[in-house]
């Protein structure tokens, strides 16, 4: 059994030339076996360990035949939906340097400038691709400003591509549809970003974003659940420097208030801000209504109204 295992290990070794052949210094045998499990190089005749703790520089996947090896083989960056060509085309670097890091001559620099210009032109073959290129760059810009993860950008790009294929952009601005797709992606991925926050980094009014968002979500059949105010609590509490105790209390206030039906028709950001304000008072970490309102981007009147409702729901009055 041990002999057959070593035989299989020997078969899995890569072919070596005569110059690269390893010789055992103890018995001068060339019968060297690589133990991949232990990361060791062992002489099969005398058992001397020639090398240990070897680094496996091969792929992380296994293949048992040629076709499987070919199908798993890959090179380059993964395909992404955040680029109009899915990242499959080449890009000419902006650095005017050769492979050795030396600066190019003026003639070569002007030639590379022309190549970059034509490279950008031929990457988009029609108006639809130019539309997609501009929209995805807008989504990437707004996503960076909002600080959302990469997964949200991918989902937003897929939503915009679906809207483009369904011809939902006709008669609407590209920026408006791109912003609506990003907001819908935040809702789908459970990333707490309000419509006001998205409108701040966009170039279109909030009313247009809301109108376009409702139209796109209805036409594409996006299943979007109502925003949970509890998603905003950690971010608001962190910005205000509040403790975990305040966050837990604010979550409890939201749960009790929602059970009594007070959440229906209310702004989730205002509801979360009022819960944090109430929790800060109950936990002796007082924050003013103005401080909470600035972080949540709501008015003090909204916090006062929601605060009164939540306090009554908790039975403190």
């Amino acid at each position: 059994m041990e002999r057959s295992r070593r035989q299989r290990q020997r078969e899995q070794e890569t072919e070596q030339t005569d110059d690269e052949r390893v010789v055992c210094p103890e018995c001068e045998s060339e019968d060297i076996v690589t133990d991949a499990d232990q990361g060791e190089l062992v002489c099969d005749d005398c058992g001397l360990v020639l090398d240990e703790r070897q680094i496996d520089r091969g792929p992380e996947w296994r293949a048992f035949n040629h076709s499987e090896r070919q199908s798993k083989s890959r090179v380059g960056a993964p395909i992404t939906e955040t680029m109009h060509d899915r990242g499959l085309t080449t890009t000419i670097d902006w650095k005017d340097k050769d492979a050795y890091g030396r600066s190019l001559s003026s003639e070569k620099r002007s030639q590379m400038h022309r190549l970059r210009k034509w490279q950008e032109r031929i990457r988009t073959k029609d108006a639809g691709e130019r539309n997609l290129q501009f929209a995805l760059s807008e989504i990437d810009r707004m996503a960076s400003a909002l600080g959302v993860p990469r997964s949200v950008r991918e989902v937003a790009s897929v939503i915009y591509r679906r809207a483009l294929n369904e011809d939902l952009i006709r008669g609407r601005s590209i920026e408006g549809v791109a912003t609506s797709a990003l907001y819908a992606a935040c809702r789908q991925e459970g990333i707490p970003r309000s419509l006001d926050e998205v409108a701040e980094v966009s170039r279109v009014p909030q009313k247009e974003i809301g109108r376009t968002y409702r139209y796109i979500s209805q036409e594409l059949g996006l299943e979007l659940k109502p925003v949970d105010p509890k998603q905003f609590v950690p971010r608001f509490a962190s910005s205000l420097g509040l403790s975990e105790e305040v966050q837990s209390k604010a979550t409890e206030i939201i749960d009790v208030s929602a059970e009594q039906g007070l959440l229906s028709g209310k702004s989730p950001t205002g509801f979360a801000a009022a819960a944090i304000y109430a929790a800060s008072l109950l936990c002796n970490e007082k924050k003013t209504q103005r401080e909470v309102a600035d972080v949540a981007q709501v008015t003090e009147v909204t916090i006062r109204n929601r605060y009164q409702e939540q306090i009554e729901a908790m039975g403190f009055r």
Side-chain angles (χ1 to χ4, degrees):
M1 184 68 181
E2 182 68 15
R3 191 71 181 180
S4 62
R5 185 177 67 86
R6 291 190 176 184
Q7 184 68 25
R8 288 196 301 270
Q9 291 175 348
R10 190 182 298 109
E11 291 176 356
Q12 291 174 358
E13 293 178 7
T14 55
E15 294 183 356
Q16 296 176 321
T17 61
D18 293 338
D19 295 337
E20 297 174 342
R21 180 71 66 181
V22 181
V23 179
C24 176
E26 187 72 23
C27 62
E28 297 184 355
S29 172
E30 296 183 353
D31 196 3
I32 307 299
V33 177
T34 301
D35 189 347
D37 295 334
Q38 303 296 328
E40 296 176 345
L41 204 63
V42 185
C43 176
D44 199 24
D45 290 341
C46 66
L48 177 69
V49 178
L50 278 69
D51 193 9
E52 60 181 352
R53 297 181 182 177
Q54 289 183 319
I55 299 175
D56 185 5
R57 303 186 184 277
E60 80 281 4
W61 42 263
R62 296 190 302 169
F64 300 98
N65 53 51
H66 179 71
S67 61
E68 190 174 350
R69 187 177 296 106
Q70 290 296 108
S71 64
K72 288 187 176 182
S73 178
R74 59 183 182 273
V75 67
I79 295 177
T80 175
E81 298 291 341
T82 58
M83 301 178 67
H84 76 283
D85 51 11
R86 291 182 170 84
L88 296 176
T89 58
T90 57
T91 303
I92 300 177
D93 194 12
W94 58 271
K95 297 178 182 178
D96 291 323
K97 294 183 179 181
D98 61 8
Y100 298 98
R102 296 174 298 199
S103 299
L104 301 178
S105 62
S106 59
E107 181 181 355
K108 286 291 184 181
R109 282 199 299 270
S110 61
Q111 181 182 2
M112 294 304 297
H113 177 71
R114 289 195 302 272
L115 286 173
R116 289 192 198 96
K117 183 170 63 176
W118 281 104
Q119 166 74 2
E120 288 299 320
R121 289 179 179 177
I122 65 176
R123 286 182 70 181
T124 53
K125 61 181 180 180
D126 53 22
E129 286 198 358
R130 285 192 295 272
N131 177 325
L132 192 59
Q133 184 181 29
F134 175 71
L136 296 182
S137 64
E138 276 292 292
I139 290 175
D140 192 60
R141 178 189 66 82
M142 292 185 291
S144 298
L146 289 171
V148 296
R150 183 78 181 180
S151 60
V152 175
R153 307 183 190 192
E154 294 281 350
V155 173
S157 302
V158 172
I159 292 175
Y160 188 88
R161 287 177 186 272
R162 289 182 58 193
L164 184 63
N165 294 334
E166 296 289 337
D167 200 22
L168 303 179
I169 305 177
R170 188 181 301 275
R172 293 172 177 80
S173 66
I174 298 176
E175 295 94 334
V177 179
T179 309
S180 304
L182 180 60
Y183 179 63
C186 290
R187 293 278 299 270
Q188 275 193 348
E189 294 296 300
I191 304 299
R193 293 295 183 273
S194 64
L195 191 58
D196 295 331
E197 292 176 302
V198 176
E200 277 190 0
V201 300
S202 178
R203 297 192 176 104
V204 293
Q206 180 178 342
K207 184 180 290 186
E208 182 181 346
I209 297 173
R211 184 169 58 246
T212 308
Y213 162 73
R214 288 189 295 271
Y215 174 74
I216 287 179
S217 60
Q218 181 180 1
E219 292 295 324
L220 296 180
L222 303 178
E223 297 181 359
L224 302 173
K225 299 179 181 178
V227 179
D228 189 355
K230 291 186 291 186
Q231 294 178 346
F232 293 95
V233 170
R235 185 158 60 94
F236 291 168
S238 177
S239 301
L240 291 167
L242 297 173
S243 63
E244 290 286 340
E245 182 184 1
V246 176
Q247 295 186 36
S248 301
K249 194 64 177 179
T251 303
E252 180 187 349
I253 292 173
I254 292 174
D255 288 335
V256 173
S257 303
E259 288 177 1
Q260 299 186 18
L262 299 179
L263 183 56
S264 178
K266 304 296 192 306
S267 169
T269 53
F271 209 82
I276 289 176
Y277 174 69
S280 67
L281 296 180
L282 294 172
C283 298
N284 295 322
E285 297 183 31
K286 180 175 172 55
K287 294 292 181 180
T288 63
Q289 293 180 2
R290 169 49 54 190
E291 290 175 319
V292 180
D294 290 340
V295 169
Q297 296 182 346
V298 296
T299 62
E300 295 178 53
V301 177
T302 300
I303 293 181
R304 282 196 292 270
N305 293 337
R306 300 293 86 77
Y307 167 73
Q308 293 295 335
E309 296 171 358
Q310 291 171 356
I311 288 298
E312 292 178 2
M314 294 291 292
F316 291 124
R317 184 174 294 279

